[in-house]
Every structure is written in structure tokens, then in C-alpha cells.
Amino acid sequence: MTAMLKPPVQMVRDVGWKQVLGLGQAEDGFWGRIRRLQLAQLDRNVPFNVGLLTVNLVLLVAGFGPRVGLAGLAPWLGGIAFMASLWVGRRLLNPAGNANKTATRLEYWKVVVETSALGLFWAGLVHAMMPVLPTDGQAVLMFESLVFLGTATICVITLPVAMLMIFALVGTSMVVSVPVGAPLDHFMVVLGLVTIGLTLMRTSLVSTYNMMARMKSEVDLQEQGEVVRLLLNEYEANGSDWLLELDGRGCLTHVTTRFADVARRRRADMLGQPLLALLDPVQGGATTAALAHALREREAFRDLVVPVPLGRDLRWWALSGTPKQDAAGNFTGFRGVGRDVTEVRRSQERIAQLARFDPLTGLANRSLFRESLDDLVENAALSGRPAALLFVDLDRFKAVNDCFGHAAGDLLLRQVAQRLAALVKAQVKGGATIARLGGDEFAIVLPDGSGDRAEKLAQRIVKDMARPFPLGDEGRAGAAVVGASVGWALAPFDADTPEDLLRCADLALYRVKEQGRGAACRFAPEMAQAVAERRKLEADLAAALERGQLRLLFQPVVDSTDERITGFEALLRWHHPELGVVSPLDFVPVAEETGLIVPIGAWVIDEALAWATRWPAHVKVSVNLSAVQVEEASLPDVIAAALARHQIGPERLELEITESLFLAEKPAVIEVLARLTAMGVSFALDDFGTGYSALGTLQKASFSRIKIDRSFVARASAMGDEASAIIQAIVRLAASLDMQTTAEGTETRAAFELCRQLGCTQVQGYLFGKPMPPEEATRLVCEAVGA
């Protein structure tokens, strides 16, 4: 090797000039990839370069061809056109290139011959045209030949033999075709061509060698890195991985002790056995097929998780391997590593189970439910067959948790899931999805809701959920009766999107709860209208306080002995700009559910105390409190701030509460009432005698007054009747506890006289004044004092 041709890189093992020139190469393996890379580079350059050459050739023949004659040019032009069409057509028909990763020696030398033929045809063209052209034509032909050499050699820069043949044929023709004595018949022309040829030849050799050396180095490094990685991952003594080696047929040629232990076989029995024979093709499916394909096609594989039956136990192995070759590049088999990933796979399956199923009941969770719902709505829209969505909500589940504990609540939820599954299995042919959405909420996706299937299932669920649920072993913890409410809707009749179907089923469930629970209801369009109106009412109520739409009216409370005004009850009214005066029965429940009652209640207390400052000192003001307000720990602070702001004594404020406040027996409520009592605020028990009246209620707070419900006053007509007896009993009870009594709904003089005769200390009703604006109430009480 001469110094001039010595490549500017370090020599690489197994790569020499013989291989650079395409000789001494193996049929496949590394050299097959080298050849494919060389041919791919030629394919990429051919369309553009040949296109430019065609333009130059057409112009050249058009300008100087007539001097030669078609007969003299036809063979050479035809050959050039044939070769150009062959390459360009091959490229256009297969734009992605050859899918094989290797090229055979036959393919390589076939391309060398084709490129040499192209050079021969151009050399013939030069030989035919040069002698008959004038001086300027010879110069142009010489220049175009140099253009041809440049574009052609660039295409075959990594095919040294092809480049040498093209340059030798065309260059020789350029020299020998120049007429003797012509201006171009000069030794400098020959010297220039030789210089260009040597430069291009060296460039081709060095470029080709560098490419081969680089790829060989990469392959060597890859093999070395793979060996190192496999050795590092080998934990034959105390690890979980093992090495494996296969021959060209995929049979085991090396079995380590660790591998034999994991496979539960003797090493001698495993040697020579196909690796695929150890696997379960049915359980493996795609991964086992992928491994078989990799072994057959001699391709690397990595972390293929395949099943291995070991007796009654099914294990999972993760296998990785790479093809190995001998020094000549011949494929000899695979070298790889394996590890047992059974526990990892089981953990992954468990995680996947948790991601799609409820861990407590085993039912589908929200994620899987939503997938089923999306499919249900889509299929219903395509087929036109109705599908149903049922929402199931347990009615008294919270009581089970409170009375029996959360363990009993979990047991109840599992039994509910079992009953739902049994019902669906009995009523539905298949394909239904039962999901637990959270807490005590369940949903059923019913693919076929035609006829009355959904209604029958909903009614059956209500009936079955009403049966007692045993809690604890053999019912030792008792049984619980919870009941259920069901709301359902059909797609595509009620809704044609998953979101709308969810909303419709939810509205139907809301209607059931609103009407008393323990029933089933299908969605109806008017439900949406009612909810829309409710939402608008909520939004308007949220802004009512800020817009000054809330008003207080005051109804006088009169002493039954002298008919003197002793106080006023503050009554809240809402003047809606569109609906007019909205009844408290309509907007107070909304305020309680939304929490708006807290700021509204604070405003009522402040406004009532502001007007009370204008009344005589003996006149009290009564304010109704909602249970939601009393549950707020900040209520005593709100009242204390209002009393201080208006400089009014706490003894003039009376808070009216109902017995329902004490049903839940919440410690926070008792604490708030105790703080208010310590402040000096008095309490009145409103609507006594209705609902949950009990003597124990009177001991829950320091009540100073009992208000007898207007229903008793309205029914009392004379001494001795039932209503009068009830009123008299309440009066005696209050007197024994040193409490006053107020008879509500005293509309007539006869009713007043009867209540006074029965012992009521105070009365309240239309007889002495309807609810009136604060200005009128102030004028009334001031006139009474002045009189």
C-alpha cells in the first residue's frame, strides 16, 4: 500500500484493499450489509444525477448531432437511454429501496457491470462525435464528458471498481478520439485527465474504506458491548438471570445451571432441544410468534415475555438475544439472556385489574364504565337499537356505616354487587357492564334496552335491594334494610352522546330521590326543564343578596293577657324581578342545599337587629335559624359581631330552631348552642307538636319558649276537643319547665280567646297583624307604646 493511498484512519481488522474492491467478502452478514449500503447510496443519487445528465446530453446532441448523423450515434445513445431508464425506473418502482438489509455479491457485481456499461456507451458516443466536430464542438464535448465523469463518479463513489471502469473507459476515449494536431491534442489535457482520475480514485478508495471501517468498528463495539452486558447481567450464583445460546436452528447449545434450575429440567435433557419447545404457544400468542419470527429471520429480539408451562405452574420468562457470527461473517446462532418475570407480570396484571375494576366489589370502575358507555352509545347510534344506562343509589347506606361500622358497610357493598350481578345475569343475555362509581353509587350499562327490559330490570333492582342484607357471620351483627333508587335513560332516544346520557340518567335518579326514594324512574324531558329552572333559581338566589332583592317582614307577637306587643318574628321574602315574590318554601331549601343560607342568614340577623334598635327596649326580635347555619362553628361569632355593631343586648334576640336539628345528634351543634346560651341569647322551639316531638328535645338547649304549631290552633274549636287537649298538654309541659308558649296562626278573636283560656302566654297571627314591612312594624310598636 503506497503512502498516497493510505487511508487517514487506523487499520481495522478484517478490512483491507481486497474487501474495499469488493473481493474476498462473505455472502451475507456484515459484508451483506456493507454491499446494501453501497447500493443504497447509488440508488439515492441516480434520479437527480441521471436527470441532469439527460438534459446535458439532449442539448449536446441537438447542437452537434447533425454533424455526425443518427446512424453513428444511435447505438451509443440507445445504450445510455436504456441504462438511464433501467435505473430510474427501478428507483421509481421501488422508492423505498430494497427491503432486504443485505445484498448478495451477485447483486453487487451486477450493478458494477451496469455502471461500467454506461461508461462504455458514453465512451462510444465520444469516439463517434469527437473526430467530426469543429474545435469549439470538441471543447464542448470534452467539457460535457468531464461533467459526465463528475456526476457518474459521485453516484459510484463507494463502488471503487465501478468508478475505475467508468473513468478508464471514458477518459481513454476522450484522449484517443481527439484528432492529431487538434488544439486539444496536447499532453496537458492527458495530464489533467490522469490527475482527475487519480484524485477520484483515491477519494473513492478512502471513502469506501472509511465506511467499511466505521461499520466494522460499530459491529465490533456492539458485539463487545453485548458480551459485556450479558456477562454483567449473569447472576448464576445469586441472581435471577441466566445466559442462553442457540445454534442456527434455534436449539440450545449451552445450558447453565441456573437456566436448568429455572426450567426444572436436567441440563443434559435440554441440550439440543429447540427453545420454542419449552414455551406455551397458546398462552404466548403474539410474543411467542414474535420470538419464532426472530429466530427464523435471524433478527435480534429484546425482552420478549413468553409463557413457560412447568407442570401445573405457568411461569413467564423475558428473553433477549442477538445473532452471532463467525469471523467470516457467517450466521452461527443466537446469544442471549433470560429472566423469570412471573411475579412482575402478576403484579402488572393486578395493577391493570385495579386500574379497571373496583377492588372492594370486583365490579368495573369508572374508567371501564366510561369505555363501556362510549361503546354503548356509539353502537346504539349505528344500529338504532335502544341501549340503557341505569344509575343505582343506595338509600340508607350512611346509616349502616354509622351504626355497624365501615367493615359492615364494605360487606354490604359486596352483597349489593353480588345481587346486582345475579339480577343482571338472570335478566340480561350478555354484554352488560356493572360498575361501582364510588361510595354507594352503582351503574349498569345495558346494551339491549329494547321493549321493557330496562324498566323490568330497574323495578327488580328496587325490589331486590329492599330485602334485608345480613351483616356479619350468620347474621350476628344483625341485618340492614337500605333500599335503592334507580334512574335510567335510553340511547339514542333520550340522548345520543355519553355525556347527555349520563345527565339524563342522573336527572331521573334525582327525581326519584326528590319524590321519596325507593323507586325506579325513567328520564323524561320535563326533568331537564325542572333542573334548568332549579339551576337558574340557584344562580339568581346567589346574586339576590348583592342585588338587594331580599326583604324582611315582621309579624307581631302579642301577650295574651293584655294584648301588648312583646316582639316581632322576622320573616324573609325574596322579590324576584321576573318571578315576583318567591315563597320561602321554594327558595329556603335551595339556599340550604347550596350553602347560601349561611351568608343570607347572617344578613337576616344583622338586618333584624338593625330594626330592633328602633323599637322599645322590652320588644324582642325572633329570627329563624336553619340547621345548616347552626352547624357552622362561626355562627356565635357572627351573632356577637352583629349585637356589638348595633349595640343591642343579647336578651332581646330570640333564635327559633326546629326539633329536626337534633336528629343527627351532632356534637358540633350542641357546642354552638351552648356558646349562644352563654352569650345570653334565648331560644324558641318552633313547630312543636309536629314531626319528631320528644321531651328529650327540650333538654338539648335552654329553650325559653315553645311555639305551638298553627295546625293545632286551626283545629281547636272548643274546650275539650282533641286539638285543645294537645294545646293544653303542651302549655302544662312548658309551665312545668318554666317556659312560655306562643300559639301560631291565631286568625280570629274566638281562636285567641280559646288559646288564652288554654293558658298560652303569647299569640301570633293575622288577628294582630300580618307580616309587614319594617317601617310599618316600627310605627305600630311605637304608637302602641305612646298610647
Side-chain angles (χ1 to χ4, degrees):
M1 184 184 301
T2 64
M4 181 184 71
L5 294 179
K6 185 176 181 180
V9 293
Q10 185 178 358
M11 288 297 295
V12 179
R13 177 175 56 87
D14 300 329
V15 178
W17 292 125
K18 185 177 180 181
Q19 287 75 26
V20 170
L21 295 175
L23 306 173
Q25 297 179 357
E27 182 59 40
D28 53 12
F30 168 76
W31 292 110
R33 294 196 296 274
I34 288 289
R35 290 189 291 268
R36 174 56 60 203
L37 185 62
Q38 290 173 300
L39 299 183
Q41 183 170 342
L42 173 64
D43 289 342
R44 286 193 299 269
N45 292 328
V46 159
F48 181 79
N49 290 18
V50 170
L52 291 179
L53 281 177
T54 302
V55 173
N56 282 264
L57 181 60
V58 169
L59 294 176
L60 178 66
V61 174
F64 301 100
R67 296 176 179 268
V68 182
L70 182 62
L73 298 179
W76 314 113
L77 290 175
I80 294 173
F82 173 79
M83 297 307 303
S85 301
L86 176 65
W87 290 344
V88 174
R90 184 186 299 162
R91 179 64 176 175
L92 292 177
L93 291 175
N94 190 15
N98 198 307
N100 295 330
K101 296 182 179 180
T102 61
T104 64
R105 286 180 291 187
L106 178 61
E107 291 177 275
Y108 175 86
W109 287 109
K110 179 181 176 182
V111 171
V112 171
V113 171
E114 291 174 358
T115 54
S116 301
L118 178 64
L120 177 62
F121 292 136
W122 189 278
L125 180 68
V126 171
H127 187 71
M129 294 183 67
M130 187 71 74
V132 299
L133 293 179
T135 301
D136 58 341
Q138 293 175 356
V140 171
L141 181 59
M142 187 71 72
F143 177 79
E144 288 298 325
S145 297
L146 291 175
V147 171
F148 170 82
L149 287 176
T151 54
T153 52
I154 288 175
C155 289
V156 296
I157 193 67
T158 57
L159 298 172
V161 174
M163 199 218 70
L164 177 61
M165 292 299 297
I166 290 175
F167 196 90
L169 291 170
V170 176
T172 301
S173 179
M174 292 169 64
V175 173
V176 302
S177 299
V178 176
V180 178
L184 292 177
D185 184 20
H186 197 281
F187 79 95
M188 289 302 297
V189 174
V190 177
L191 179 60
L193 289 174
V194 172
T195 302
I196 294 174
L198 292 176
T199 302
L200 291 175
M201 189 62 196
R202 182 182 186 278
T203 301
S204 177
L205 290 171
V206 172
S207 298
T208 305
Y209 180 86
N210 287 344
M211 179 193 69
M212 293 179 175
R214 184 183 70 253
M215 289 193 63
K216 182 62 176 176
S217 298
E218 290 174 357
V219 170
D220 290 342
L221 289 174
Q222 183 179 2
E223 290 182 351
Q224 294 171 8
E226 183 66 13
V227 171
V228 171
R229 187 184 68 83
L230 293 173
L231 291 176
L232 290 176
N233 289 333
E234 183 183 6
Y235 299 107
E236 295 295 339
N238 54 7
S240 59
D241 294 9
W242 64 86
L243 293 176
L244 58 90
E245 292 189 14
L246 310 175
D247 59 17
R249 298 172 301 148
C251 298
L252 295 168
T253 59
H254 175 69
V255 178
T256 64
T257 303
R258 173 65 180 166
F259 188 10
D261 292 342
V262 171
R264 302 177 191 176
R265 290 174 171 83
R266 295 190 307 168
R267 293 177 61 191
D269 296 339
M270 296 178 65
L271 287 173
Q273 184 178 6
L275 176 63
L276 294 176
L278 301 176
L279 312 182
D280 186 335
V282 177
Q283 292 281 347
T287 54
T288 301
L291 177 61
H293 178 271
L295 296 178
R296 183 172 59 254
E297 300 298 326
R298 303 177 180 180
E299 296 176 350
F301 52 92
R302 182 176 182 82
D303 290 333
L304 290 179
V305 179
V306 294
V308 182
L310 301 178
R312 295 184 177 181
D313 189 15
L314 181 67
R315 309 295 293 181
W316 294 87
W317 293 352
L319 302 178
S320 300
T322 55
K324 59 180 181 177
Q325 300 169 342
D326 57 17
N330 298 316
F331 172 75
T332 59
F334 286 87
R335 181 187 297 113
V337 64
R339 66 180 183 277
D340 191 312
V341 294
T342 305
E343 298 306 320
V344 174
R345 183 178 178 88
R346 288 173 180 171
S347 298
Q348 291 174 343
E349 291 175 348
R350 177 60 178 165
I351 292 173
Q353 173 80 8
L354 293 175
R356 297 171 62 83
F357 292 90
D358 175 51
L360 177 63
T361 62
L363 301 178
N365 63 7
R366 281 184 176 272
S367 176
L368 182 55
F369 161 74
R370 187 51 195 256
E371 292 179 15
S372 301
L373 181 65
D374 292 345
D375 293 340
L376 174 136
V377 174
E378 181 179 358
N379 293 336
L382 293 175
S383 65
R385 185 178 65 181
L389 170 63
L390 291 79
F391 276 166
V392 181
D393 190 80
L394 302 183
D395 292 334
R396 291 174 291 276
F397 174 72
K398 185 177 183 302
V400 174
N401 269 340
D402 294 341
C403 296
F404 298 101
H406 291 286
D410 291 346
L411 176 61
L412 173 63
L413 291 175
R414 286 193 290 269
Q415 293 184 58
V416 169
Q418 292 169 2
R419 288 193 189 181
L420 289 176
L423 284 173
V424 171
K425 183 178 181 180
Q427 299 276 329
V428 182
K429 295 302 181 181
T433 299
I434 311 173
R436 180 185 175 217
L437 304 182
D440 58 352
E441 299 175 355
F442 297 83
I444 300 174
V445 176
L446 199 61
D448 185 4
S450 57
D452 58 354
R453 286 184 174 87
E455 183 177 6
K456 284 185 176 179
L457 179 60
Q459 296 292 347
R460 185 62 187 274
I461 290 173
V462 172
K463 182 180 178 181
D464 234 42
M465 293 299 122
R467 293 191 293 110
F469 289 89
L471 302 177
D473 296 337
E474 299 179 358
R476 285 198 298 268
V481 178
V482 292
S485 301
V486 181
W488 55 284
L490 292 178
F493 302 139
D494 297 329
D496 55 7
T497 67
E499 289 75 16
D500 289 344
L501 190 62
L502 286 169
R503 183 177 59 86
C504 291
D506 194 45
L507 289 175
L509 181 61
Y510 180 81
R511 175 60 61 89
V512 175
K513 293 181 178 180
E514 192 178 46
Q515 295 180 346
R517 303 175 181 268
C521 176
R522 180 189 168 182
F523 169 79
E526 57 267 21
M527 296 179 185
Q529 178 64 27
V531 170
E533 293 175 357
R534 167 66 179 258
R535 296 288 183 265
K536 186 177 186 306
L537 192 67
E538 291 177 3
D540 291 346
L541 182 59
L545 186 60
E546 181 181 347
R547 295 172 180 171
Q549 297 171 0
L550 298 180
R551 299 284 190 276
L552 281 186
L553 298 181
F554 293 92
Q555 186 174 31
V557 178
V558 177
D559 190 296
S560 61
T561 58
D562 56 10
E563 301 183 23
R564 182 172 55 92
I565 296 176
T566 61
F568 286 94
E569 180 181 1
L571 302 172
L572 182 62
R573 296 293 185 266
W574 178 17
H575 293 263
H576 193 281
E578 299 174 3
L579 304 176
V581 178
V582 182
S583 170
L585 296 177
D586 293 331
F587 74 83
V588 169
V590 175
E592 289 178 331
E593 291 180 17
T594 58
L596 292 172
I597 194 67
V598 175
I600 291 176
W603 176 84
V604 169
I605 293 171
D606 188 78
E607 187 75 2
L609 291 176
W611 282 104
T613 59
R614 308 180 187 187
W615 303 335
H618 71 278
V619 178
K620 287 188 173 185
V621 61
S622 299
V623 176
N624 290 277
L625 286 185
S626 164
V628 178
Q629 288 177 269
V630 182
E631 292 174 2
E632 287 287 324
S634 61
L635 178 62
D637 298 328
V638 171
I639 294 177
L643 291 170
R645 185 162 48 252
H646 298 292
Q647 298 181 353
I648 190 170
E651 70 279 356
R652 293 187 60 190
L653 175 62
E654 185 178 66
L655 302 175
E656 296 188 13
I657 56 180
T658 61
E659 298 167 282
S660 60
L661 177 67
F662 302 101
L663 291 179
E665 298 185 350
K666 297 181 179 179
V669 171
I670 304 302
E671 181 182 351
V672 168
L673 294 178
R675 291 176 60 191
L676 291 173
T677 301
M679 289 169 52
V681 175
S682 59
F683 292 95
L685 185 59
D686 199 9
D687 299 333
F688 189 78
T690 62
Y692 306 93
S693 297
L695 294 178
T697 302
L698 299 175
Q699 300 175 341
K700 300 293 179 64
S702 300
F703 292 104
S704 61
R705 189 158 57 102
I706 296 176
K707 299 189 72 173
I708 302 173
D709 188 70
R710 65 179 60 248
S711 61
F712 297 113
V713 176
R715 288 188 286 117
S717 58
M719 293 290 293
D721 61 21
E722 181 182 0
S724 299
I726 293 175
I727 293 175
Q728 194 169 34
I730 295 174
V731 169
R732 289 175 178 174
L733 174 64
S736 67
L737 296 174
D738 195 22
M739 298 180 187
Q740 294 182 330
T741 52
T742 299
E744 294 184 293
T746 306
E747 314 295 343
T748 65
R749 173 59 63 173
F752 167 65
E753 294 296 342
L754 179 59
C755 289
R756 178 158 57 180
Q757 189 177 357
L758 291 172
C760 296
T761 57
Q762 295 171 333
V763 293
Q764 179 182 352
Y766 281 7
L767 177 62
F768 297 99
K770 296 181 179 181
M772 60 190 70
E775 296 84 1
E776 185 177 343
T778 302
R779 183 172 58 255
L780 177 64
V781 71
C782 290
E783 290 176 353
V785 172

